[in-house]
Amino acid sequence: MAEGLGVGICGLGTVGSGTFNLLFGNRAEIESKVGTPVEVRLVGCRRDHPDCDLAGTRVTRDIFDVVGDSEVDVVCELIGGTDAALELVRGALDAGQHVVTANKALIAEHGAALFELAAEKGVQLRFEAAIAGGIPIVKAVREGLSGNRIEGIAGIINGTSNFILTEMSGLGNRGFDEVLAEAQELGYAEADPTFDVEGIDAAHKLTILSSIAFGVPLAFEHIYTEGISAVTVDDIRYAQELGYRLKHLGITRRRESGVELRVHPTLVPETELIAKVDGVMNAVLVSSDAAGTTLYYGAGAGSLPTASSVVADVIDVARSVGATHAVSNLGFAGGTSDARVLPIDETRSAFYLKLTVEDRPGVMASLSTTLSEHDISIESLIQKDASGGQVPIVLITNEVQESQFDAAVRAIESADYTQGEVTRIRVVAFN
Amino acid sequence: MAEGLGVGICGLGTVGSGTFNLLFGNRAEIESKVGTPVEVRLVGCRRDHPDCDLAGTRVTRDIFDVVGDSEVDVVCELIGGTDAALELVRGALDAGQHVVTANKALIAEHGAALFELAAEKGVQLRFEAAIAGGIPIVKAVREGLSGNRIEGIAGIINGTSNFILTEMSGLGNRGFDEVLAEAQELGYAEADPTFDVEGIDAAHKLTILSSIAFGVPLAFEHIYTEGISAVTVDDIRYAQELGYRLKHLGITRRRESGVELRVHPTLVPETELIAKVDGVMNAVLVSSDAAGTTLYYGAGAGSLPTASSVVADVIDVARSVGATHAVSNLGFAGGTSDARVLPIDETRSAFYLKLTVEDRPGVMASLSTTLSEHDISIESLIQKDASGGQVPIVLITNEVQESQFDAAVRAIESADYTQGEVTRIRVVAFN
């Protein structure tokens, strides 16, 4: 390390260009922090980036040239995807290079094998930038709260979905399709928005968060995922009347029987700080036995915020080289736990339930009876004005196991007083 | 390190007892994270603590026995104060032991000499628990944002003051003295509340935050400190009408001419997340060039939250032993900058100004003229109902240098239309 740390950047897109510019622009400040120079010694990219001045930097058009390059101690994998990226990361680890990646899909789907390879080779594989952009949440969980037993994590970890829900919650009475189109125009949503609005991006991130929190194996194949495309403005309004905000959350919690791992639209009490996180911003709430509730807020995407986390990881490599017990991989040196991921029907939530019933005496009593026969109580309820012989009812239940709520809903749906569809949204409180 | 890390705890009060119980209760989880046991091998305390089972633990009644003890690799200084604590920490560092402390006064007032000694002896002096209790804010600034140039930090870093201001902002119309008495009953304020409500505690913490953010020397003797004892419910109400919340903030910002370092009541736009942090909770907002605005929220005090940070530091020692470039001291291996602390009259803020003027034509024009002669513009203004020939006026200015605003206030105070006292509160926006 006497001669500094050599960095190779693979991919010069949004994150790669930000990483190059940050390492270059702040190189004096970074050297003064680390005590040794941190230098970009090779950039692998198919084409130059208009924002990057590559004069004086060694460049190759074949990213695989960075693998095993003798001047490169740390390879930054910033190409995305899971094909070439997997080959690249595997190659670099195999060649004894440390790897820093922003690639959530790669870690969530292939992390186990890659971490094993990194451990075998005695190098580090870091991934702060894979979750919540510029927020140092991996560091907070693996290190800042390392003395704690983590109880649960809930995160607004997809900025696109949070932007859409925030706009739908505003006064404009605008539905999902209209706001999505606006988000696409503003560049907050992709032309094909599936990854963001159907929760897949959040599922990748939550899978990783769950593993660093609980030391469980990465379990992307077992996560429950539901997006926001079916959310209606009506439900947002009714929930607001009841004192709740609708957020798209990733939730992972430790339970006696296993670990909850789920991404879905969630109603949160309006008094909680996470309910007040609006627009494209991200926030992650962590509940743990000693620190209690802590929350981490910031930009969840973008060139420089993501680069901030990539560079922090590079600096952490420089700062930890030589340490016998450097934090690595999922943060559990002692191996992973065997706690299973709970199927969604074994998770616990309170529920928002909206239904339309016949406008006649005794219906409310029947509905209450059905719920109480399933050991469910009503915490709050709004009965709207009757029209055409029908009354819309919106209620919030206590916390119950999902299978128990499912059974109650089946009974309600088949009751003679119920008209049409029943809508249900999970409700979770953290304080 | 083959035989694990030996911890010595000095002081078994609120934080010490929490630290002992956390290290003991979570020892299996901690070992699985670190890869080696982290063991309490000696406790120095004048008396036992009812919450701690010390059976099986070596205990001494002389805390100085922990210094140089051959089984203790890390000394946790949790006795508080700056006399015995200074001697203890100096002794431990001198003996080649790492030190973890929760003592903000010690670091803010004596940190420079202690860091120098630690560097000389090749050991670490860590202080996460000194700032904002369970929030890993030192880690976020020194490590999570290490690739960034930090631009500014603003923190609600005294829970007592935030509790009092939150209660004063509520619907009860309760003044400072009444709420302080309640806070004392609830155990949120000391019998002598000076340290908390006059801003000294926050000043200690901000001094340290400023140094880790900017690499400037610890400058507790130069910090500007103003508490909340002069805040009135009227000002809180008027500010709310204008869209602001009153918070007691520590603010440190990098400016071309130096570093702002100040603790005082501050109006913050109600739309900002930090304005929504209520009760005894703490939050620290960091502005930096790449990550942008990030915010860290959690419990700022208490036995287990503070212990969480002490134990995280202990684990960080275990994880970084052997590293050539381990992060240490203020986080700037390359030494500190020579940026000076700006006197308060060289800082920049917007201002809230409340005054009572004569109820006659032309007064508003004169007031506007006086302000504009000092290059100050009015961003918003409320004129209340006249009574007894007097009109109360409340206004918010643009951002100006404080000396410039002082001159304008002197001119307004000596104007013939002004009746009685003028009230001013600094206004700072972060987004």
Side-chain angles (χ1 to χ4, degrees):
Chain A
M1 295 286 297
E3 296 162 54
L5 189 81
V7 179
I9 294 177
C10 293
L12 210 60
T14 305
V15 181
S17 62
T19 299
F20 178 85
N21 287 334
L22 191 56
L23 280 168
F24 190 76
N26 284 356
R27 64 192 183 284
E29 175 126 359
I30 290 169
E31 181 172 348
S32 90
K33 287 177 181 168
V34 183
T36 192
V38 175
E39 299 166 345
V40 178
R41 293 187 186 154
L42 182 57
V43 173
C45 57
R46 270 191 235 148
R47 63 190 74 84
D48 291 359
H49 192 285
D51 297 344
C52 296
D53 177 5
L54 295 170
T57 302
R58 200 155 54 98
V59 177
T60 169
R61 295 301 173 205
D62 180 357
I63 53 164
F64 285 92
D65 286 346
V66 182
V67 172
D69 184 276
S70 63
E71 292 188 25
V72 173
D73 305 302
V74 185
V75 174
C76 297
E77 181 280 297
L78 306 172
I79 58 173
T82 50
D83 295 332
L86 179 60
E87 194 186 336
L88 182 78
V89 170
R90 207 181 262 148
L93 295 172
D94 227 5
Q97 292 168 307
H98 304 287
V99 172
V100 171
T101 180
N103 194 328
K104 61 219 79 164
L106 181 73
I107 297 295
E109 297 177 23
H110 303 284
L114 295 174
F115 289 134
E116 200 175 316
L117 179 58
E120 190 186 303
K121 295 290 173 179
V123 292
Q124 299 179 21
L125 169 56
R126 289 180 173 265
F127 50 90
E128 179 69 78
I131 306 165
I135 307 173
I137 184 64
V138 173
K139 182 169 284 283
V141 173
R142 289 200 311 188
E143 304 173 37
L145 300 171
S146 57
N148 290 250
R149 189 174 153 87
I150 308 284
E151 290 156 358
I153 291 183
I156 296 173
I157 47 181
N158 183 272
T160 306
S161 295
N162 201 46
F163 173 82
I164 292 173
L165 291 178
T166 302
E167 293 295 308
M168 288 175 71
S169 304
L171 300 175
N173 212 37
R174 294 179 305 151
F176 174 80
D177 293 331
E178 186 182 344
V179 175
L180 172 60
E182 186 198 326
Q184 285 169 323
E185 264 175 49
L186 289 169
Y188 293 158
E190 309 279 341
D192 176 357
T194 312
F195 246 60
D196 291 316
V197 303
E198 297 305 344
I200 304 157
D201 173 77
H204 279 138
K205 295 166 180 167
L206 187 71
T207 296
I208 306 172
L209 280 174
S210 183
S211 289
I212 63 173
F214 307 126
V216 293
L218 292 158
F220 181 65
E221 70 278 19
H222 295 304
I223 195 168
Y224 175 83
T225 306
E226 194 180 308
I228 60 166
S229 56
V231 168
T232 70
V233 173
D234 274 356
D235 288 321
I236 292 177
R237 292 272 175 281
Y238 288 142
Q240 283 174 345
E241 281 183 54
L242 289 159
Y244 294 86
R245 294 284 174 275
L246 185 71
K247 294 290 172 192
H248 189 245
L249 294 187
I251 298 173
T252 184
R253 296 196 293 197
R254 205 197 292 250
R255 299 258 312 281
E256 254 181 51
S257 47
V259 168
E260 293 188 355
L261 187 62
R262 48 190 175 128
V263 168
H264 52 66
T266 311
L267 293 176
V268 183
E270 64 187 4
T271 49
E272 301 208 10
L273 198 63
I274 198 167
K276 299 169 185 170
V277 172
D278 286 332
V280 294
M281 299 304 279
N282 279 203
V284 181
L285 179 154
V286 184
S287 303
S288 61
D289 61 352
T293 296
T294 52
L295 180 140
Y296 308 84
Y297 164 91
S303 175
L304 283 172
T306 311
S308 167
S309 288
V310 171
V311 174
D313 271 351
V314 169
I315 291 174
D316 273 357
V317 169
R319 284 172 162 171
S320 59
V321 165
T324 316
H325 294 287
V327 64
S328 65
N329 299 347
L330 296 173
F332 285 77
T336 50
S337 123
D338 57 357
R340 73 186 180 114
V341 173
L342 297 174
I344 190 68
D345 64 357
E346 291 183 39
T347 64
R348 292 181 70 83
S349 311
F351 282 89
Y352 161 103
L353 182 67
K354 184 181 71 183
L355 70 165
T356 301
V357 298
E358 274 185 70
D359 182 20
R360 60 169 166 84
V363 165
M364 273 306 300
S366 303
L367 174 61
S368 304
T369 303
T370 307
L371 286 168
S372 87
E373 280 168 358
H374 291 85
D375 266 337
I376 298 169
S377 60
I378 297 173
E379 301 280 305
S380 55
L381 183 144
I382 310 176
Q383 187 168 337
K384 311 303 285 187
D385 291 338
S387 93
Q390 298 189 332
V391 185
I393 289 174
V394 181
L395 60 86
I396 306 278
T397 73
N398 63 329
E399 188 187 285
V400 297
Q401 179 144 324
E402 183 138 337
S403 55
Q404 184 184 346
F405 188 74
D406 289 343
V409 167
R410 280 193 298 273
I412 289 167
E413 282 177 332
S414 63
D416 58 357
Y417 55 77
T418 303
Q419 314 277 308
E421 295 273 293
V422 164
T423 302
R424 40 188 290 177
I425 305 174
R426 296 174 189 89
V427 179
V428 181
F430 303 99
N431 286 341
Chain B
M1 295 286 295
E3 296 163 55
L5 189 82
V7 179
I9 293 177
C10 295
L12 210 60
T14 306
V15 181
S17 61
T19 299
F20 177 85
N21 286 336
L22 191 56
L23 280 168
F24 189 75
N26 285 355
R27 65 192 182 284
E29 175 127 357
I30 290 170
E31 180 172 349
S32 89
K33 287 177 181 170
V34 182
T36 192
V38 176
E39 299 166 343
V40 178
R41 293 187 185 154
L42 183 57
V43 173
C45 57
R46 269 190 235 148
R47 63 190 73 84
D48 290 359
H49 191 286
D51 296 344
C52 297
D53 177 5
L54 295 171
T57 302
R58 198 155 55 96
V59 177
T60 169
R61 295 301 172 205
D62 180 357
I63 53 163
F64 285 92
D65 286 346
V66 183
V67 173
D69 184 274
S70 64
E71 291 187 26
V72 173
D73 304 303
V74 185
V75 174
C76 296
E77 182 281 295
L78 306 172
I79 59 173
T82 50
D83 295 333
L86 178 60
E87 194 186 337
L88 181 78
V89 171
R90 207 183 261 147
L93 296 174
D94 227 5
Q97 292 169 308
H98 304 286
V99 173
V100 170
T101 180
N103 193 327
K104 59 219 81 163
L106 181 73
I107 297 295
E109 297 177 23
H110 303 283
L114 295 173
F115 289 135
E116 200 175 316
L117 179 58
E120 191 187 302
K121 295 289 175 180
V123 292
Q124 298 178 21
L125 169 56
R126 289 180 174 265
F127 49 91
E128 181 67 79
I131 305 166
I135 308 172
I137 185 63
V138 172
K139 181 168 285 284
V141 172
R142 289 200 310 188
E143 303 172 39
L145 300 171
S146 58
N148 291 249
R149 190 175 153 87
I150 308 284
E151 289 155 0
I153 291 182
I156 296 173
I157 46 181
N158 183 273
T160 307
S161 295
N162 201 46
F163 173 82
I164 292 172
L165 291 178
T166 302
E167 293 295 308
M168 288 175 71
S169 304
L171 299 175
N173 213 37
R174 294 178 305 151
F176 174 80
D177 293 332
E178 186 181 344
V179 176
L180 172 61
E182 186 198 325
Q184 286 169 322
E185 265 175 48
L186 290 168
Y188 292 159
E190 308 278 342
D192 176 357
T194 312
F195 246 60
D196 290 316
V197 302
E198 297 305 344
I200 303 158
D201 173 77
H204 279 138
K205 294 165 180 167
L206 187 71
T207 296
I208 306 172
L209 280 174
S210 183
S211 289
I212 64 173
F214 307 126
V216 294
L218 293 158
F220 181 65
E221 69 279 19
H222 295 305
I223 196 169
Y224 174 84
T225 306
E226 195 180 307
I228 60 165
S229 56
V231 168
T232 70
V233 173
D234 274 357
D235 289 321
I236 291 176
R237 292 272 176 282
Y238 287 142
Q240 283 174 344
E241 281 185 53
L242 288 159
Y244 294 86
R245 292 286 174 275
L246 186 71
K247 291 292 171 192
H248 189 244
L249 294 188
I251 299 172
T252 184
R253 294 195 294 196
R254 206 197 292 249
R255 299 258 313 281
E256 254 181 51
S257 48
V259 168
E260 293 187 355
L261 188 61
R262 49 189 174 128
V263 169
H264 53 66
T266 310
L267 294 176
V268 183
E270 64 187 2
T271 50
E272 302 207 10
L273 198 64
I274 198 168
K276 300 168 184 172
V277 171
D278 287 332
V280 294
M281 300 304 279
N282 279 203
V284 181
L285 179 155
V286 183
S287 303
S288 61
D289 62 352
T293 297
T294 52
L295 180 141
Y296 309 85
Y297 164 91
S303 175
L304 283 173
T306 311
S308 167
S309 288
V310 171
V311 173
D313 271 351
V314 168
I315 291 173
D316 273 357
V317 168
R319 284 172 163 172
S320 59
V321 165
T324 316
H325 295 288
V327 64
S328 64
N329 299 347
L330 296 172
F332 284 79
T336 50
S337 122
D338 58 356
R340 74 188 178 112
V341 174
L342 297 174
I344 190 69
D345 64 357
E346 291 183 39
T347 64
R348 292 181 70 82
S349 310
F351 282 89
Y352 162 103
L353 182 67
K354 184 182 71 183
L355 70 167
T356 301
V357 298
E358 275 184 68
D359 182 20
R360 60 171 164 83
V363 165
M364 273 306 300
S366 303
L367 175 62
S368 304
T369 304
T370 306
L371 287 168
S372 89
E373 280 168 359
H374 291 85
D375 267 337
I376 297 168
S377 60
I378 298 173
E379 301 280 304
S380 55
L381 182 144
I382 309 176
Q383 187 169 336
K384 311 303 284 187
D385 291 338
S387 94
Q390 298 189 332
V391 186
I393 289 174
V394 181
L395 61 86
I396 306 278
T397 73
N398 62 329
E399 188 187 284
V400 296
Q401 178 144 324
E402 182 138 338
S403 56
Q404 183 185 345
F405 187 73
D406 288 343
V409 167
R410 281 193 299 272
I412 290 167
E413 282 178 331
S414 63
D416 58 357
Y417 54 77
T418 303
Q419 314 275 311
E421 295 272 294
V422 164
T423 302
R424 40 187 291 179
I425 305 173
R426 295 174 191 89
V427 179
V428 181
F430 303 100
N431 288 342

